[in-house]
Amino acid sequence: MKFKQVFNHIMIFLLVLSFQGYLPLIHIGSITILPDILLVYISFLAIIYCRFYIIILSFCLGILQDMLSQVNLIGLFGFVKSLCAYLIGSINLHDTLWTNKLKYLIILSTYFIHFFFYFYLVINDSGSWHIIFEYSILQSIVSFSIFYLINTFIFRSKFI
């Protein structure tokens, strides 16, 4: 990559971190939702660039997010963000085979897996499966909506 591209990605990353830090919580009844802008950013990077490098980057960003927010579950975000980068990075490998609807379904499913792992370990109660699914589905829909809106209106559906 050229220096200008690296500088642009660093600036975008700092912007994403500031959005993630100052994004307001969404309250729906007793459920609190915080969209994961960092996951959306990793999704775009996984679609644009080589999957291997984005997996390493997402692991580092996940560990950084762990250190800032979830010290008691260190490594959780590093693992699930790497897994998401791997799964979403597979879209490039099958770009001509898969339809756009299938690509969006893969991204939504990957977001669900990400949040399911997170809430399963955070809630840590075997009797609350419905709460884990409910939180995972809502978080996935909110994060996917952000991805879809950015892809459609800012990038004009260039990536999917």
Side-chain angles (χ1 to χ4, degrees):
M1 275 198 282
K2 297 178 184 176
F3 177 75
K4 187 176 180 181
Q5 286 179 324
V6 171
F7 180 75
N8 287 341
H9 281 294
I10 290 172
M11 296 308 292
I12 291 171
F13 173 70
L14 292 174
L15 185 67
V16 165
L17 278 182
S18 64
F19 274 145
Q20 184 71 41
Y22 292 108
L23 202 64
L25 296 172
I26 301 169
H27 297 285
I28 302 173
S30 63
I31 299 173
T32 303
I33 297 174
L34 178 64
D36 196 347
I37 305 297
L38 188 59
L39 180 62
V40 173
Y41 179 63
I42 289 172
S43 301
F44 280 112
L45 290 178
I47 292 171
I48 297 169
Y49 295 109
C50 177
R51 181 169 66 171
F52 177 73
Y53 297 115
I54 302 305
I55 291 171
I56 293 171
L57 176 70
S58 63
F59 178 77
C60 294
L61 293 177
I63 291 293
L64 178 68
Q65 189 176 6
D66 279 332
M67 287 186 216
L68 295 175
S69 64
Q70 293 290 77
V71 179
N72 58 344
L73 293 173
I74 195 110
L76 173 64
F77 278 131
F79 171 70
V80 295
K81 294 218 185 301
S82 301
L83 180 65
C84 289
Y86 174 79
L87 293 173
I88 294 173
S90 300
I91 290 174
N92 282 341
L93 300 176
H94 307 288
D95 191 34
T96 56
L97 263 138
W98 292 347
T99 64
N100 288 346
K101 289 181 183 178
L102 183 60
K103 292 175 189 176
Y104 282 129
L105 180 64
I106 288 170
I107 291 170
L108 181 63
S109 302
T110 303
Y111 287 176
F112 176 77
I113 291 168
H114 175 275
F115 291 115
F116 182 80
F117 273 127
Y118 174 72
F119 287 119
Y120 177 74
L121 291 176
V122 168
I123 293 175
N124 200 11
D125 183 15
S126 61
S128 58
W129 284 100
H130 66 284
I131 294 172
I132 294 170
F133 276 110
E134 187 176 275
Y135 278 31
S136 300
I137 288 171
L138 286 174
Q139 287 281 116
S140 302
I141 289 172
V142 168
S143 295
F144 178 76
S145 299
I146 293 170
F147 175 85
Y148 183 79
L149 290 173
I150 290 172
N151 187 44
T152 303
F153 294 114
I154 294 177
F155 294 118
R156 309 256 190 257
S157 299
K158 183 170 110 175
F159 299 116
I160 292 185

